Amino acid sequence: MSRFADLARHAMASLLRSKLRTALVSLGVAIASGALVSMVAFALGVQKQAEEPFQKLGLLSQIRVMPRENAPPLDDSAIARFEAIPGVMKAWPDYRISEVILRRGEKEWGVRAVGIPREVGLSGILDAVLIAGGAFTVDGETAEIVVAKRTAKELGFDPPESAVGQPVSLEASGLEIDASGGATVGSRALEARVVGLYEMPVPAMFMGFDIALVPVDIARDLPGAAADPRTLARKVRSRSDVGASFEVIVRTENPSQVPRVEAALQELGYDTRSTLTNMQELRRFFVFLDVLLAAVGTVALVVAGLGILNTQLMSVLERFPEIGVYKALGASDGDVRTLFLAEAAAVGLVGGVAGLLLARGVSEILELAAGAYARREGIEGDIAVFAFPAWLLVGAVLFSIAVSVASGLYPAGRAARVDPVRALRSGG
Amino acid sequence: MPAAAEPSAPLVRARGVSKVHHVGSSDVRALDAVNLNVARGEFLSVVGVSGSGKSTLLHVLGGLDAPTAGRIDVDGRALGEMTPHERSIYRRTIVGFVFQQFHLVPSLDAAGNVELALLFQGRPRAERRKLALESLERVGLAKRAMHRPGELSGGEQQRVAIARALVHRPPLLLADEPTGNLDRATAAVVMEVIGAARSDLGSTVVMVTHDEATAARVSTRVVRLVDGRFSSDGSAA
């Protein structure tokens, strides 16, 4: 091992002999490696951006339940049956009201209201996104609301966090089911108290609207969200769209229970859809994207490898007499091969590490530019488009070394096969 | 490799050694059935004009080249039976080479060049440095250890090359026109260094040269090579 280390050290000294050439070849590897890392980091960053909100909000533990034809209605007893399935934490009707105006004085801002159980605060699900205040009062009946930071700003709260504890007017519009089962357009306003302020990790550019969270018991009575799950189920079956979803949300204790609970729900006669299942599709897409971008980066690295090959072939020719001396001094063919491969590996190592720094620098610049653009467009928060997991950093350097060593194989082989007598005669 | 030969046996024993170089479509016979014995501790000079086969003889004795025919035994080891790897071990342990063109690595200082001979033996760094400095001391260049070849005179460069050839105390020193690129005064100094090294280390020296006067002055025996054959008996005295 120490002999190998000594040969490697000697190889480094040989590299430093031609500083400019070594620097240029390493720069080629650095640019290629940097491009590879940047592209993969970009794909990983976008994937992270796409998945993070789902993970933070615990959506990977959620299942949407929809009635099949002739399925039992999605009523309170169905919800009770769902909650009895092992692994289910909570089930509730999914109310989404798209026509909601929040008002404060003369300011107003349109949002979508989503009903979630008051108990949701206990599970800590909102903690990951709450930036001020808290979740709903568990045993309360008052109209409470958790709003987005942007909503608070648009309503004139400065700073936005000062909205917590303040009243706002909530006006919802949409179809209502009357006693006869007929639908009429209705509108209803109520005073709600802001109890929490959240900020989604995903840039709002992905979402053109803000969501306001209201307790399920409040959402249920708002126009646009039909009052009775049985009615909703009927409406789904008749394919009539009244601006509300007619589904039930089932939250499991953790994502690993989703497949089993989904199977149990389907057994009960319902269709299901889970974020986890959708996420698998998304992940397949990102794997494809990763492979595609990595392939493009690899092409760049292979081109850099050709540069190493060319440079090392020149080096073998230039150092022809020197190789003869090595052999006269007792270097075996393997020793000579090791010397040249160590030089190639060193170029790969230096280029690979420099490539990481380059990729990091480029990503910082692009993120700064993206952040500036987003702020100009009114989008809050830092934008991290690139992700640099440890495996990417280590893998990229190892890959650079591997490509460099592969490029050095042929020149090293030629150097190893040099006839020492011819080499010594050539150095006159 | 087999064990070393008896001390009384010649260090080098060559029998019927021929070497044919293929040059284009013709063959050039550089060595023609050469027989040679070199006793331990001997200083043998091989003289002859250019193209007489002197360098080829050194190359086959040093294991850098394989003879076309014949057998060479050095210290009881048959070179023809060695694998390429064993021949490299033979070169790094039994042989020390000195060349006319010095062949120093320009990017290494004098000590680094001398250390090179020990690098391939896998000696620890500190030991390499110590032995290199001792070897440079032996050729009177200890103070020039940190100088690169470009900063040394021709004579000094050749002395560094001699220090490199002797640093591992080889039983056989092969010198190919060691004074060929030097002026007369410097050549005398270099020959003195080789002679002193032979006395100090007990190495056997085989030197090829076209300088017959120098050969006669420093050698214990001189043989002449003409067209690949010895004109006088090549056996040990």
Side-chain angles (χ1 to χ4, degrees), chain A residues 115-160:
Chain A
I116 59 171
R118 288 179 180 272
E119 300 91 320
V120 84
L122 295 178
S123 64
I125 287 164
L126 289 178
D127 294 354
V129 290
L130 277 176
I131 55 169
F136 306 124
T137 313
V138 175
D139 296 323
E141 292 177 356
T142 54
E144 294 174 328
I145 186 167
V146 175
V147 297
K149 186 180 176 184
R150 181 170 66 174
T151 303
K153 271 178 77 176
E154 293 294 338
L155 291 176
F157 290 107
D158 187 21

Side-chain angles (χ1 to χ4, degrees), chain A residues 97 100 113 170 172 175-176 188 190 214 218-227:
Chain A
I97 303 104
V100 175
L170 182 157
L175 290 178
E176 287 185 294
R188 184 176 160 220
L190 54 85
V214 292
I218 300 296
R220 184 181 57 205
D221 297 332
L222 293 175

Side-chain angles (χ1 to χ4, degrees), chain A residues 2-3 5-7 9-10 13-14 16-17 321-322 324-336 339 419-428, chain B residues 21 55-56 59 64-65 84-85 87-89 91-92 95 97 99 101-108 113 116-117 119-125 128 164-165:
Chain A
S2 88
R3 185 157 180 268
D6 286 340
L7 288 174
R9 204 175 293 123
H10 183 71
S14 298
L16 292 176
R17 212 187 300 175
E322 187 180 317
V325 174
Y326 289 160
K327 290 200 165 182
L329 294 176
S332 65
D333 291 359
D335 291 334
V336 174
L339 282 172
D419 174 2
V421 173
R422 270 189 60 214
L424 289 168
R425 281 189 175 138
S426 71
Chain B
H21 294 298
S55 293
T56 302
H59 292 152
L64 285 175
D65 206 355
H85 183 66
R87 265 204 298 280
S88 65
I89 293 172
R91 288 196 295 270
R92 76 175 74 131
V95 181
F97 277 104
F99 305 101
Q101 292 91 356
F102 322 138
H103 283 313
L104 299 178
V105 178
S107 59
L108 300 175
N113 268 286
L116 257 188
L119 176 71
F120 302 113
Q121 289 190 4
R123 303 272 190 108
R125 207 176 177 189
R128 289 203 309 265
R164 182 179 66 186

Side-chain angles (χ1 to χ4, degrees), chain A residues 29-364:
Chain A
V29 175
I31 290 171
S33 169
L36 172 66
V37 172
S38 300
M39 285 191 276
V40 175
F42 174 74
L44 293 173
V46 173
Q47 181 175 3
K48 192 176 168 198
Q49 288 279 5
E51 289 186 3
E52 200 170 48
F54 296 100
Q55 284 164 347
K56 280 199 169 179
L57 287 174
L59 295 180
L60 298 183
S61 300
Q62 272 189 197
I63 302 167
R64 299 175 73 83
V65 185
M66 297 148 287
R68 284 184 197 149
E69 200 64 35
N70 302 321
L74 280 169
D75 54 12
D76 291 343
S77 67
I79 288 174
R81 281 203 302 281
F82 297 163
E83 289 186 330
I85 296 172
V88 172
M89 182 202 285
K90 182 79 184 163
W92 66 91
D94 186 23
Y95 296 126
R96 287 159 191 264
I97 303 104
S98 49
E99 299 293 330
V100 175
I101 304 289
L102 294 180
R103 288 196 180 85
R104 175 175 174 255
E106 291 182 355
K107 303 263 186 185
E108 63 177 42
W109 185 244
V111 297
R112 287 189 186 179
V114 172
I116 59 171
R118 288 179 180 272
E119 300 91 320
V120 84
L122 295 178
S123 64
I125 287 164
L126 289 178
D127 294 354
V129 290
L130 277 176
I131 55 169
F136 306 124
T137 313
V138 175
D139 296 323
E141 292 177 356
T142 54
E144 294 174 328
I145 186 167
V146 175
V147 297
K149 186 180 176 184
R150 181 170 66 174
T151 303
K153 271 178 77 176
E154 293 294 338
L155 291 176
F157 290 107
D158 187 21
E161 289 77 5
S162 64
V164 174
Q166 299 301 313
V168 293
S169 166
L170 182 157
E171 184 183 341
S173 306
L175 290 178
E176 287 185 294
I177 311 298
D178 60 24
S180 64
T184 55
V185 176
S187 178
R188 184 176 160 220
L190 54 85
E191 284 291 306
R193 191 171 62 90
V194 176
V195 293
L197 202 66
Y198 76 86
E199 186 169 33
M200 292 292 282
V202 62
M205 65 177 83
F206 293 128
M207 240 164 26
F209 51 87
D210 289 349
I211 285 177
L213 304 176
V214 292
V216 168
D217 54 286
I218 300 296
R220 184 181 57 205
D221 297 332
L222 293 175
D228 184 349
R230 282 166 295 191
T231 312
L232 307 181
R234 265 203 315 276
K235 290 201 167 289
V236 166
R237 284 201 291 273
S238 63
R239 294 191 173 277
S240 62
D241 184 356
V242 292
S245 296
F246 306 99
E247 297 164 356
V248 165
I249 302 293
V250 170
R251 186 185 286 272
T252 61
E253 283 159 0
N254 60 59
S256 68
Q257 288 158 327
V258 166
R260 197 172 45 75
V261 173
E262 267 197 288
L265 291 165
Q266 287 163 5
E267 191 80 9
L268 290 173
Y270 299 95
D271 281 333
T272 62
R273 191 183 304 153
S274 64
T275 309
L276 194 69
T277 311
N278 292 341
M279 197 66 84
Q280 306 294 4
E281 298 290 329
L282 190 67
R283 280 184 178 159
R284 264 195 285 277
F285 166 75
F286 279 116
V287 166
F288 172 74
L289 188 66
D290 290 346
V291 170
L292 182 74
L293 293 179
V296 173
T298 301
V299 169
L301 207 49
V302 167
V303 172
L306 289 176
I308 293 175
L309 191 149
N310 183 43
T311 306
Q312 281 224 303
L313 278 177
M314 280 171 55
S315 179
V316 171
L317 290 176
E318 285 173 4
R319 290 157 66 188
F320 198 54
E322 187 180 317
I323 296 167
V325 174
Y326 289 160
K327 290 200 165 182
L329 294 176
S332 65
D333 291 359
D335 291 334
V336 174
R337 190 179 291 113
T338 301
L339 282 172
F340 278 82
L341 287 180
E343 288 181 24
V347 168
L349 175 66
V350 172
V353 172
L356 293 185
L357 299 175
L358 198 64
R360 190 72 209 172
V362 168
S363 71
E364 291 284 341

Side-chain angles (χ1 to χ4, degrees), chain B:
Chain B
M1 283 191 285
E6 289 295 315
S8 58
L11 180 71
V12 178
R13 189 171 182 277
R15 285 292 173 268
V17 173
S18 295
K19 179 68 188 180
V20 177
H21 294 298
H22 304 287
V23 183
S25 58
S26 59
D27 289 347
V28 176
R29 186 168 287 272
L31 292 176
D32 188 5
V34 165
N35 295 319
L36 176 69
N37 280 358
V38 184
R40 291 171 191 277
E42 190 177 8
F43 192 141
L44 174 73
S45 286
V46 181
V47 296
V49 296
S50 289
S52 59
K54 303 188 302 292
S55 293
T56 302
L57 177 67
L58 276 200
H59 292 152
V60 295
L61 292 181
L64 285 175
D65 206 355
T68 312
R71 175 188 174 99
I72 299 170
D73 293 86
V74 177
D75 205 18
R77 300 166 174 89
L79 265 56
E81 293 171 8
M82 291 180 186
T83 63
H85 183 66
E86 285 171 337
R87 265 204 298 280
S88 65
I89 293 172
Y90 162 77
R91 288 196 295 270
R92 76 175 74 131
T93 53
I94 305 295
V95 181
F97 277 104
V98 178
F99 305 101
Q100 182 178 353
Q101 292 91 356
F102 322 138
H103 283 313
L104 299 178
V105 178
S107 59
L108 300 175
D109 60 20
N113 268 286
V114 177
E115 274 189 54
L116 257 188
L118 300 169
L119 176 71
F120 302 113
Q121 289 190 4
R123 303 272 190 108
R125 207 176 177 189
E127 185 188 347
R128 289 203 309 265
R129 177 59 44 158
K130 178 174 167 285
L131 291 174
L133 292 176
E134 280 177 12
S135 198
L136 283 169
E137 175 83 51
R138 198 176 296 126
V139 299
L141 283 178
K143 288 182 178 169
R144 309 284 269 165
M146 301 307 163
H147 289 75
R148 296 195 178 197
E151 300 163 341
L152 300 172
S153 69
E156 286 173 329
Q157 288 188 50
Q158 190 60 299
R159 280 152 69 192
V160 172
I162 293 168
R164 182 179 66 186
L166 295 172
V167 67
H168 56 296
R169 295 172 177 262
L172 179 61
L173 178 67
L174 300 175
D176 188 356
E177 302 275 12
T179 58
N181 277 353
L182 304 175
D183 60 64
R184 188 163 288 278
T186 310
V189 173
V190 165
M191 289 315 303
E192 209 171 288
V193 168
I194 291 177
R198 173 181 158 249
S199 308
D200 293 349
L201 304 176
S203 298
T204 302
V205 180
V206 177
M207 176 176 78
V208 302
T209 179
H210 60 265
D211 182 353
E212 296 188 25
T214 300
R217 186 165 47 82
V218 301
S219 312
T220 54
R221 184 161 59 106
V222 178
V223 291
R224 181 180 301 279
L225 204 54
V226 179
D227 294 335
R229 300 181 74 99
F230 285 121
S231 64
S232 52
D233 181 19
S235 304

